Amino acid sequence: MSDQYRILRPDGPIEVNIGLPELDEQSRERRGTALPATLPIVPVTQVNLFPRMVIPVVLEGKKHRELVDEVVNTNKLVGFLAYKEEPATPDGPETRDMFHKTGVAAQVLRMITSENGDLSLVIQGLTRFHTGDFVSLEPFIKARVEMAPETHVDDVETKALMSNLRSELRKVVKLSPNLPEEMESLITSVPEPGALCDMVSTILSMSPEERQGVLAALDVKERLHMIREFVNREIQVLELGSKLQNQVKEGLDKTQREYYLRQQLKAIQKELGEEADETQSEVEEFRRRLDEKKLTEQARQEADRELKRLANMHPSSSEYHVITTYLDWLASLPWEEYSEDQLDIKNARAILEADHHGLEKVKKRILEYLAVRKLNPDMKGPILCLAGPPGVGKTSLGRSIARAMGREFVRISLGGVRDEAEIRGHRRTYVGALPGRIIQSLRRAGTANPVFMLDEVDKVGADFRGDPTSALLEVLDPEQNFSFSDHYLDVTFDLSKVMFIATANVLDTIPAPLRDRMEILHLPGYTANEKLKIAKRYLVPRQRKEHGLTGSDFSITDAAVTKVIERYTREAGVRNLEREIGSICRYAARTIAEGEAERVSVGVKKINAVLGPEKITPDTALRTSVPGVATGLAWTPTGGDILFIEASAMPGKGGLVLTGQLGDVMKESALAAVSYVRANADLLKVDPDFHKENDLHIHVPAGAIPKDGPSAGVTMLTALVSLLTNRSVDPEMAMTGEITLRGMVLPVGGIKEKILAAHRAGIKKVILPKQNERDLADVPKAVKNSMEFYFAERMDQVVKRALVKPKSNK
């Protein structure tokens, strides 16, 4: 009988070891002789090899190739040693403490090299060994080893344990569906108890620690006791699984028997002319509800098909509830139910004016839609996108539009949505499937023409579940959405009468095909005067009501509100302003509740005591009072902002340092500015040799905030010229624009937001590119009248306008 074998565990297919060569006499002798003093070590995550076993092994990587080269060229012996814990990284440092003490020495019988360079070895386990110190770690592990021979006593107890183990293993073979019947003869034919234990370890479901424990057990009798415990555990698991399987089979047989009996009962009732059962009554109820709806022809055909299936189905069937849920959705949707539009233009204008201050462009667009709708009732709904910074009233504007038009209002938030099924729904084949958010919202609205707001459309994500923005392409296309198909309904639904309104803070993150389907309406930030009016008309009354105050209890002066706007909330919208007003109202409520006063009036002097120190200090003049500092204008997703650019010179050899977490485009603008100054030193009245003995440092404060874009080029060049000519920049002036190496000033975007930010910061003068002069048409008239604008085509014009008289040498 051959003493080599290969058996896989029952959680996988059984493979019979055919064609492996018998060991030669040298290999048989080596099994009982001493090992070399050192062995190359292959680290493994768990024990898969025992003595006498023949298994294939695949080794990957350069390190293992060098190990195999040495093994094949010497004595063909290699050691396999398991980690105590799986290493965190494959290439991490390895120490002796990371490994178990006992391993298995093996002989390489065959080696095959694959096309990708991996090595496939056929190895046979020879004997157990104990490891000592590691001799080397590179290019592979080599350790001192010592044979670990088994201790075996052939007494009566050992024979009894062997006999009991064989009988228990026969039970495992009968209960396990993955083990072949030939395993019984193999169990009987293995005479050595130690070999039998090692073989059984490979077919049982054991943890790596348990298998390592069997390997480390040198006392054969102790190993027999361990294996018996594992075999008994395996028998309990297999018996329980068999019991559960029989119970499931009995349940299925019972369900089928009941189904046949109910079908026979239904036939008997039909012959006797008795009333229909519960299923028939539910079918009739669905048919009545569907008849009341004006379903499309396609939807009606699908409904009739499902009704026919339902009539022939038992209520206990799993498909029964799937069909009833589907029919309930079909009967609940507003197929031809429309709310009547209020086409009174004057009334609509009054509602929009009462709810929102400003936003003239949006109000004008809504009134135009109503006017066209009045002349052409069959007009398709527009697809509007309200783009602007947070807090300017985009979401609340949707409710006002619905109220002005007399329509229902529904809103879904798309922020963070990453699953396409959120829009199109899941197919009915999935358990718990539902329609997408579009169909669900229409069911809640009860009409097929609501004002539908898609909030935060710029924050939709995409991952392995699909791209929701691609699903929105059909929804937001007037030429396609008349036949929108939800995966759950699997019939078309007309969305052409729905008025879709999307909101976004930025447009760059919206895919171009989706952005092309929408009409973009920009909502800029508010001026200080507009914020004051909004606070008086909306914010103060609302916060007063929410905090239980009345007009006779609490009042706040216009000057106090203005101070809050200018010194506590420099923002494009009014969200933070409302929070600060809420803080003032809480102060008034506490004062009245404690009995300190019956009425609270807040003026300018009380603001600091209520809200604390001022959060914003007008420091533009202070920061630009020295040469080398210029004020620029920037665009951000939350509106416009101002930024200061500082330039400094120090002894050096013409180096340039850029700090402030600048993006690549902004760094290139700085390099272009330096190159222009060096090339036009005479024109700018700068020392032409300034770069030979000086290093330049350009810094943009608020260094923790990333900054990028070309519009700071004009400001950087102005700061450099200011430094090198010892002339300060006009403290009341800010600027924006892109520069070229030839000194041209190119147009930039976000002009309206930038000018509003300059106005909020108290800037009186602004330098803009000449080609941006047309963008002033969008700036509020009050802001334009309070500021001076200068338009430049070349950088020498900017420098001439921005710099003041030179400072003294002191």
Side-chain angles (χ1 to χ4, degrees):
M1 182 201 71
S2 173
D3 56 356
Q4 58 181 333
Y5 51 84
R6 179 186 177 208
I7 302 170
L8 297 186
R9 293 186 297 278
D11 52 355
I14 295 300
E15 296 185 15
V16 181
N17 185 16
I18 299 176
L20 291 179
E22 291 284 335
L23 290 181
D24 55 15
E25 291 299 321
Q26 179 183 2
S27 301
R28 294 183 181 277
E29 294 174 0
R30 187 170 279 168
R31 185 179 294 169
T33 59
L35 296 173
T38 61
L39 271 182
I41 299 297
V42 175
V44 293
T45 56
Q46 61 176 317
V47 177
N48 289 315
L49 175 68
F50 285 88
R52 306 172 187 85
M53 285 181 57
V54 177
I55 64 171
V57 175
V58 178
L59 300 179
E60 302 175 351
K62 180 181 178 182
K63 181 183 294 187
H64 286 143
R65 176 177 288 279
E66 294 177 0
L67 182 147
V68 172
D69 289 341
E70 177 169 326
V71 169
V72 172
N73 293 328
T74 55
N75 54 15
K76 298 186 179 180
L77 294 182
V78 63
F80 287 81
L81 196 61
Y83 288 104
K84 292 180 180 178
E85 293 183 1
E86 190 170 349
T89 57
D91 300 326
E94 295 172 327
T95 62
R96 175 64 188 83
D97 296 333
M98 297 172 59
F99 294 87
H100 289 285
K101 180 181 179 181
T102 306
V104 178
Q107 181 179 10
V108 178
L109 303 181
R110 185 182 301 167
M111 180 181 71
I112 302 173
T113 303
S114 62
E115 294 180 358
N116 58 2
D118 295 340
L119 296 173
S120 299
L121 305 180
V122 178
I123 62 172
Q124 180 182 24
L126 298 177
T127 183
R128 292 170 168 82
F129 66 84
H130 292 324
T131 55
D133 296 332
F134 283 2
V135 177
S136 64
L137 296 176
E138 295 294 335
F140 50 83
I141 300 175
K142 184 177 288 188
R144 300 186 187 278
V145 298
E146 177 182 288
M147 283 187 61
E150 300 176 348
T151 58
H152 172 51
V153 178
D154 191 12
D155 55 4
V156 177
E157 183 183 359
T158 303
K159 293 180 179 179
L161 289 172
M162 281 281 288
S163 177
N164 180 265
L165 179 59
R166 285 194 175 103
S167 63
E168 297 293 332
L169 286 172
R170 292 187 184 97
K171 293 182 182 179
V172 173
V173 173
K174 291 179 181 179
L175 291 172
S176 177
N178 294 326
L179 293 178
E181 295 180 358
E182 293 80 6
M183 186 66 67
E184 286 193 34
S185 61
L186 182 60
I187 292 169
T188 307
S189 63
V190 178
E192 300 177 9
L196 181 62
C197 292
D198 291 346
M199 183 196 74
V200 174
S201 299
T202 63
I203 67 174
L204 296 180
S205 298
M206 297 166 57
S207 67
E209 291 78 14
E210 293 171 342
R211 200 168 276 118
Q212 179 66 36
V214 174
L215 182 68
L218 301 180
D219 188 343
V220 174
K221 192 177 296 185
E222 177 188 354
R223 201 184 307 168
L224 282 169
H225 283 289
M226 294 173 61
I227 292 298
R228 282 185 68 248
E229 293 181 5
F230 297 142
V231 170
N232 288 331
R233 183 184 66 186
E234 187 80 7
I235 291 174
Q236 293 176 5
V237 172
L238 291 173
E239 287 178 344
L240 180 59
S242 178
K243 180 181 178 181
L244 294 175
Q245 188 174 4
N246 290 335
Q247 290 176 352
V248 172
K249 184 178 180 181
E250 291 174 1
L252 289 174
D253 292 340
K254 183 180 179 182
T255 302
Q256 291 174 351
R257 180 171 174 272
E258 289 180 354
Y259 173 75
Y260 291 133
L261 290 175
R262 290 185 181 277
Q263 290 296 109
Q264 291 175 0
L265 179 61
K266 188 185 298 183
I268 294 171
Q269 288 177 339
K270 185 176 181 181
E271 290 295 330
L272 295 176
E274 295 180 354
E275 294 183 358
D277 59 5
E278 178 184 351
T279 302
Q280 293 300 324
S281 62
E282 191 161 8
V283 169
E284 293 303 321
E285 174 63 19
F286 275 123
R287 182 170 282 111
R288 182 190 61 79
R289 291 176 58 189
L290 291 169
D291 289 339
E292 294 175 356
K293 295 285 183 177
K294 298 179 181 179
L295 274 68
T296 62
E297 182 179 354
Q298 181 189 22
R300 187 71 220 194
Q301 291 176 357
E302 186 69 16
D304 291 341
R305 189 174 71 87
E306 295 297 330
L307 283 171
K308 181 181 290 188
R309 290 182 60 201
L310 187 66
N312 298 321
M313 193 172 293
H314 187 263
S316 62
S317 173
S318 60
E319 277 290 312
Y320 184 88
H321 300 287
V322 174
I323 295 176
T324 54
T325 304
Y326 176 74
L327 291 173
D328 182 62
W329 273 101
L330 287 181
S332 302
L333 290 176
W335 292 93
E336 293 290 338
E337 300 172 19
Y338 301 102
S339 56
E340 186 177 354
D341 286 342
Q342 296 179 5
L343 301 179
D344 187 342
I345 308 300
K346 293 183 179 179
N347 181 56
R349 179 187 287 112
I351 292 175
L352 293 174
E353 291 292 342
D355 289 351
H356 287 81
H357 178 79
L359 307 179
E360 299 301 331
K361 183 181 292 186
V362 181
K363 295 176 182 177
K364 177 184 176 183
R365 180 64 183 86
I366 300 304
L367 296 177
E368 289 173 350
Y369 168 72
L370 292 178
V372 175
R373 181 83 178 177
K374 189 173 184 178
L375 300 176
N376 180 18
D378 296 329
M379 176 193 176
K380 297 178 180 179
I383 313 294
L384 304 179
C385 180
L386 307 180
V392 296
K394 299 185 295 297
T395 303
S396 61
L397 187 60
R399 299 184 184 275
S400 299
I401 293 172
R403 193 161 73 92
M405 298 176 63
R407 292 189 180 188
E408 296 293 327
F409 176 77
V410 290
R411 170 188 170 272
I412 62 173
S413 178
L414 298 177
V417 172
R418 296 179 177 274
D419 191 353
E420 180 193 359
E422 293 281 345
I423 307 299
R424 287 189 174 275
H426 298 82
R427 300 192 184 278
R428 277 178 284 162
T429 52
Y430 296 102
V431 177
L434 284 174
R437 291 193 184 188
I438 303 295
I439 297 298
Q440 292 183 35
S441 299
L442 290 176
R443 180 186 182 181
R444 288 195 300 269
T447 63
N449 65 337
V451 173
F452 201 121
M453 174 156 282
L454 302 170
D455 220 355
E456 309 293 352
V457 72
D458 58 325
K459 297 175 180 61
V460 177
D463 62 9
F464 64 93
R465 290 166 292 188
D467 185 0
T469 57
S470 299
L472 288 173
L473 292 177
E474 182 183 3
V475 176
L476 300 181
D477 190 344
E479 301 300 325
Q480 300 181 35
N481 62 11
F482 67 90
S483 59
F484 172 71
S485 178
D486 186 275
H487 288 159
Y488 180 83
L489 296 181
D490 203 23
V491 294
T492 59
F493 193 94
D494 186 4
L495 299 179
S496 61
K497 301 297 190 296
V498 179
M499 182 176 186
F500 286 101
I501 300 178
T503 69
N505 295 130
V506 294
L507 298 176
D508 296 341
T509 57
I510 304 176
L514 182 60
R515 191 166 63 243
D516 183 64
R517 283 165 165 77
M518 299 185 293
E519 179 181 347
I520 308 297
L521 297 178
H522 292 277
L523 277 68
Y526 297 110
T527 65
N529 186 43
E530 288 175 332
K531 289 183 180 180
L532 177 61
K533 294 179 180 179
I534 292 171
K536 291 173 62 178
R537 288 181 58 181
Y538 307 105
L539 306 185
V540 173
R542 184 162 60 210
Q543 290 298 318
R544 183 191 291 142
K545 181 180 180 181
E546 288 184 0
H547 291 84
L549 302 172
T550 63
S552 59
D553 294 335
F554 168 75
S555 64
I556 182 171
T557 64
D558 292 355
V561 175
T562 302
K563 183 174 182 179
V564 174
I565 293 170
E566 294 177 350
R567 300 301 174 89
Y568 288 88
T569 61
R570 182 179 290 178
E571 57 174 342
V574 294
R575 193 166 286 153
N576 288 327
L577 174 59
E578 186 169 8
R579 291 194 186 102
E580 299 296 345
I581 293 174
S583 299
I584 297 172
C585 289
R586 287 193 294 274
Y587 159 78
R590 180 178 60 82
T591 301
I592 295 173
E594 291 178 350
E596 296 181 9
E598 295 181 355
R599 186 180 186 280
V600 175
S601 178
V602 177
V604 175
K605 295 181 179 179
K606 282 189 178 181
I607 291 297
N608 289 350
V610 176
L611 299 181
E614 296 177 357
K615 299 177 182 178
I616 298 168
T617 304
D619 57 352
T620 306
L622 178 64
R623 297 181 71 167
T624 58
S625 60
V626 296
V629 182
T631 306
L633 299 176
W635 179 92
T636 69
T638 58
D641 201 357
I642 65 169
L643 55 84
F644 297 95
I645 295 182
E646 303 173 346
S648 179
M650 63 207 83
K653 297 182 179 180
L656 176 63
V657 180
L658 303 173
T659 56
Q661 202 171 159
L662 309 182
D664 292 338
V665 177
M666 208 164 182
K667 291 178 181 178
E668 292 169 359
S669 297
L671 294 174
V674 173
S675 298
Y676 178 77
V677 172
R678 289 180 59 182
N680 297 272
D682 294 337
L683 175 65
L684 300 174
K685 299 180 181 179
V686 173
D687 181 6
D689 298 328
F690 73 90
H691 61 283
K692 294 182 179 180
E693 299 180 355
N694 294 281
D695 286 345
L696 295 178
H697 185 168
I698 297 178
H699 176 67
V700 183
I705 302 174
K707 313 169 191 70
D708 202 3
S711 62
V714 165
T715 315
M716 287 181 170
L717 197 148
T718 303
L720 283 173
V721 177
S722 170
L723 171 71
L724 299 174
T725 59
N726 199 31
R727 298 170 63 188
S728 299
V729 179
D730 189 341
E732 294 184 343
M733 180 166 288
M735 61 200 72
T736 184
E738 181 181 356
I739 62 170
T740 68
L741 289 177
R742 300 300 178 186
M744 301 295 295
V745 179
L746 302 183
V748 293
I751 294 298
K752 185 176 183 179
E753 289 80 3
K754 292 176 180 179
I755 292 175
L756 292 177
H759 184 265
R760 287 194 296 270
I763 301 294
K764 302 297 183 183
K765 306 172 185 177
V766 178
I767 297 179
L768 299 174
K770 178 67 175 178
Q771 296 181 48
N772 284 124
E773 185 174 2
R774 60 180 180 271
D775 295 321
L776 288 183
D778 296 331
V779 179
K781 186 178 296 185
V783 175
K784 287 193 290 187
N785 293 339
S786 63
M787 303 176 72
E788 298 180 21
F789 297 95
Y790 304 98
F791 303 98
E793 294 180 329
R794 298 188 56 81
M795 267 311 302
D796 54 350
Q797 300 172 350
V798 175
V799 171
K800 182 178 180 181
R801 177 64 65 181
L803 301 185
V804 297
K805 293 181 180 180
K807 296 283 185 179
S808 63
N809 290 334
K810 179 179 178 180

